[in-house]
Amino acid sequence: MIKAIAFDLDNSLIDFSTFKHETARAAAKAMITHGLTGVTEEELYEQIFAVYDQKTVEYQKTFADVLGKYPELTLNEFERIQQAAISAYLKTKFESLKAYPEVKETLVKIKAKGILIGVVSD
């Protein structure tokens, strides 16, 4: 008899891939809006994902790594653009993190059977 089930959060209960794509696009747009020139939003989006591919999607200095490729930026410009990217990322994160359509219904059914539910993530 099953007494408990543990679920991974990312791409099991929530659509983590879509979330990462939407937040990367928002960050790229914010970088352009806040003064980064000589690059398109699409190019920045690709640069963000290049960092993710190299250092994982959980890497905390992604935007700094991307902006480091633009040595013409002053320290103030770098910081302003980086903070705009972080703010856009966080705003979009909370708008786009959603459970897959049948998750809530499925968890309710499991709980109704008296099975303990756990959620794990890194």
Side-chain angles (χ1 to χ4, degrees):
M1 178 171 144
I2 297 174
K3 294 183 180 185
I5 300 174
F7 293 94
D8 179 44
L9 183 64
D10 301 336
N11 290 323
S12 295
L13 300 178
I14 63 168
D15 187 351
F16 188 77
S17 294
T18 297
F19 147 70
K20 287 310 273 190
H21 287 281
E22 288 179 2
T23 55
R25 289 202 183 279
K29 182 176 183 175
M31 288 179 183
I32 299 288
T33 301
H34 287 83
L36 189 59
T37 60
V39 64
T40 67
E41 284 180 32
E42 187 63 28
E43 290 168 332
L44 282 172
Y45 170 81
E46 290 172 6
Q47 290 175 26
I48 290 167
F49 265 85
V51 173
Y52 288 163
D53 289 343
Q54 181 183 16
K55 297 185 177 177
T56 81
V57 295
E58 299 298 334
Y59 180 63
Q60 297 297 305
K61 297 187 182 267
T62 298
F63 305 134
D65 283 13
V66 168
L67 291 172
K69 297 176 183 175
Y70 301 91
E72 69 277 7
L73 294 174
T74 66
L75 179 59
N76 285 341
E77 291 169 331
F78 183 100
E79 288 294 326
R80 182 185 69 244
I81 295 166
Q82 177 182 239
Q83 289 305 314
I86 292 168
S87 292
Y89 175 96
L90 291 172
K91 179 178 185 283
T92 305
K93 173 183 179 177
F94 294 111
E95 292 170 354
S96 65
L97 265 179
K98 294 181 175 55
Y100 287 113
E102 297 176 5
V103 166
K104 184 176 179 181
E105 177 185 339
T106 301
L107 294 176
V108 167
K109 286 179 181 178
I110 292 169
K111 187 170 172 106
K113 292 183 181 222
I115 299 172
L116 297 173
I117 298 171
V119 177
V120 296
S121 189
D122 65 357

